[in-house]
Amino acid sequence: AYEALSNVERGETAAKPYLPLVYIASPFSGDTERNLKKARGYCRFAVGKGCVPLAPHLHFPQFMDDGDKGQRELGIRFALILLGKCDELWAFGDRVSEGMTREIARAKKRGMPVRYFNDRCEAKDDGA
């Protein structure tokens, strides 16, 4: 009964299960073309796991200049606002960038689950 009422509260029915919103964190700077391609793959992976991926680093560079310090900071601010709407943060790759460090710290501060994956979408046991 509790689960049914919870589903009603979230606007769900048996035909439409809840799809968690997952924040996708991965490196952007450096080889941006390669990193964007990988981020798209990480989003596909999340969809395959039944989640709705949110990857601000795929969206904001479409109209903001990451090379401009002010625009980069504004983009990170926007991303951290969106992070607050998510259920979990998934961090991908074999390195944690400066931007990812900020995102992960904010997620942890909010008590949000953080999951770590390598660049092949394999879960990391060490948590980083």
Side-chain angles (χ1 to χ4, degrees), residues 91-116:
F92 289 89
D94 294 322
R95 72 176 179 93
V96 176
S97 69
E98 180 267 334
M100 291 172 66
T101 299
R102 291 171 65 181
E103 294 163 333
I104 292 165
R106 179 69 59 93
K108 288 181 176 180
K109 183 178 179 181
R110 291 180 173 160
M112 180 182 295
V114 176
R115 296 180 62 194
Y116 295 89

Side-chain angles (χ1 to χ4, degrees), residues 43-117:
C43 288
R44 283 190 293 275
F45 171 76
V47 169
K49 295 295 184 183
C51 300
V52 178
L54 177 63
H57 59 303
L58 287 178
H59 178 67
F60 294 133
Q62 301 298 313
F63 54 89
M64 298 178 81
D65 180 2
D66 191 63
D68 177 286
K69 187 174 181 169
Q71 288 188 37
R72 176 176 168 72
E73 279 304 311
L74 188 58
I76 291 173
R77 181 177 178 198
F78 291 168
L80 294 175
I81 290 168
L82 292 173
L83 174 62
K85 309 298 181 191
C86 295
D87 297 298
E88 295 184 7
L89 181 145
W90 291 5
F92 289 89
D94 294 322
R95 72 176 179 93
V96 176
S97 69
E98 180 267 334
M100 291 172 66
T101 299
R102 291 171 65 181
E103 294 163 333
I104 292 165
R106 179 69 59 93
K108 288 181 176 180
K109 183 178 179 181
R110 291 180 173 160
M112 180 182 295
V114 176
R115 296 180 62 194
Y116 295 89
F117 299 87

